[in-house]
Amino acid sequence: MTRQNGEPEPPIGPAVDATPAHRPDAVSLSGRFGSVERLDAGRHGEPLWEALAGHDRVWTYMAYGPFAGRSAFLAWLRERQALADPFYYAIVDAVRGPVGLATLMASRPEMRVVEVGHIVLAPATQRTPLATEAQYLLARQVFEALGYRRYEWKCDALNAASRRAALRFGFAFEGIFRSHMIVKGRSRDTAWFAMTDADWPARKAAFERWLAPENFHADGRQRASLRELNRVD
C-alpha cells in the first residue's frame, strides 16, 4: 500500500488477538508418569528434601542453594510458595512422590508472554519420561488454558544440559544476552529460547508421540527420540 503522497506504507506486524492471557494458577496437571501440582511446602517439602539432599550440583546454575540443611530448605520452600511470580509447582512422580520443582514466571499477560524456569530435578528423575512429561503438561497449560502466545526458556549460557533440553523440547534458540546477570557473585551470559503458539501444534504432536506407550520398548528404551520427532537441527 502507498500513502496519498506516493510514499509506501511502513511495514507492520500482523493483527493478533490482544485479549490478555491468564496468570498461572493453582492447578494439578496429571499425566501417565506423574503430575505437576501447585507447590505446597507442607505436603511436598519433606519428600523434596529427601529427593534433593546431597545433590549439590542441581543448584549450580541457580541463584540460591545448596542449603545448609533440612530446616533451611523448608524455610526457603515456604517463601517460594508465597510468591505469585515466579509461581511454583512441584513435579510429582506417580510412584516416588515429589521429585522436583518448576515455575511459570515473568508473566506478561497483556503481551501474552510467560517463561518456564527455576527447574530443579532430583538426579534420578533427570532424563526420564516424567521429566519430559512435566514440560509437556506445563506447555499445554500455557498455550491451551492460559492463552499465551510466547513461551520462553532462559538459562546460563554455560549450562549445556539446559540448552540441550530446551532444543529437545522444541524451543528455538534466539541468541545470547551478554553480561545479562550477576549470579552468586559471577557474571552470567543468558541463552534465550522460545516457543510460540504457532509452533505449539507441531510441538504438542511430537510430545504426545514420544510419550505414547508404543514409543517405548519393553525395557523402557525409547524408539524415536523427541529431538528427532521435533526435527531440531
Side-chain angles (χ1 to χ4, degrees):
M1 294 181 61
T2 59
R3 299 177 180 177
Q4 290 184 346
N5 62 6
E7 294 181 359
E9 290 284 356
I12 57 176
V16 298
D17 181 359
T19 304
H22 302 285
R23 291 193 178 276
D25 52 2
V27 294
S28 180
L29 310 173
S30 297
R32 190 159 66 94
F33 301 98
S35 60
V36 176
E37 306 172 3
R38 171 59 168 147
L39 174 64
D40 181 334
R43 184 161 57 91
H44 299 131
E46 291 285 350
L48 278 172
W49 170 253
E50 294 300 326
L52 297 169
H55 302 294
D56 289 358
R57 291 188 65 179
V58 302
W59 308 104
T60 298
Y61 294 107
M62 299 297 177
Y64 40 79
F67 298 89
R70 182 189 306 268
S71 60
F73 174 77
L74 295 178
W76 172 81
L77 208 63
R78 288 191 292 271
E79 293 173 357
R80 300 290 97 183
Q81 180 184 339
L83 298 175
D85 191 344
F87 194 91
Y88 269 79
Y89 296 93
I91 298 172
V92 181
D93 185 277
V95 176
R96 293 177 294 148
V99 291
L101 296 164
T103 74
L104 295 178
M105 57 185 284
S107 174
R108 292 188 289 148
E110 70 286 355
M111 294 294 121
R112 297 172 59 197
V113 176
V114 71
E115 178 182 347
V116 61
H118 297 283
I119 301 166
V120 180
L121 288 174
T125 304
Q126 296 170 13
R127 301 174 66 86
T128 65
L130 175 60
T132 295
E133 184 177 64
Q135 293 302 324
Y136 162 70
L137 292 171
L138 284 169
R140 188 180 67 182
Q141 179 73 2
V142 160
F143 289 117
E144 298 183 10
L146 300 180
Y148 288 91
R149 61 191 295 260
R150 176 178 166 87
Y151 188 38
E152 297 178 334
W153 176 297
K154 305 185 187 84
C155 63
D156 191 310
L158 297 176
N159 189 345
S162 184
R163 294 179 66 166
R164 286 194 302 269
L167 293 173
R168 177 176 174 271
F169 295 141
F171 290 83
F173 175 64
E174 295 185 329
I176 302 289
F177 276 34
R178 297 176 299 162
S179 300
H180 181 230
M181 300 174 70
I182 299 173
V183 178
K184 294 176 178 174
R186 296 180 181 273
S187 180
R188 168 176 143 164
D189 295 348
T190 298
W192 285 56
F193 301 80
M195 185 187 302
T196 70
D197 55 352
D199 301 327
W200 175 239
R203 299 297 177 248
K204 178 182 181 180
F207 271 123
E208 292 181 349
R209 285 179 61 193
W210 190 85
L211 289 164
E214 55 268 26
N215 188 46
F216 294 90
H217 293 279
D219 62 2
R221 289 180 298 114
Q222 65 183 2
R223 297 180 186 274
S225 74
L226 184 57
R227 192 180 182 99
E228 291 169 350
L229 293 172
N230 273 320
R231 298 178 183 174
V232 177
D233 296 328

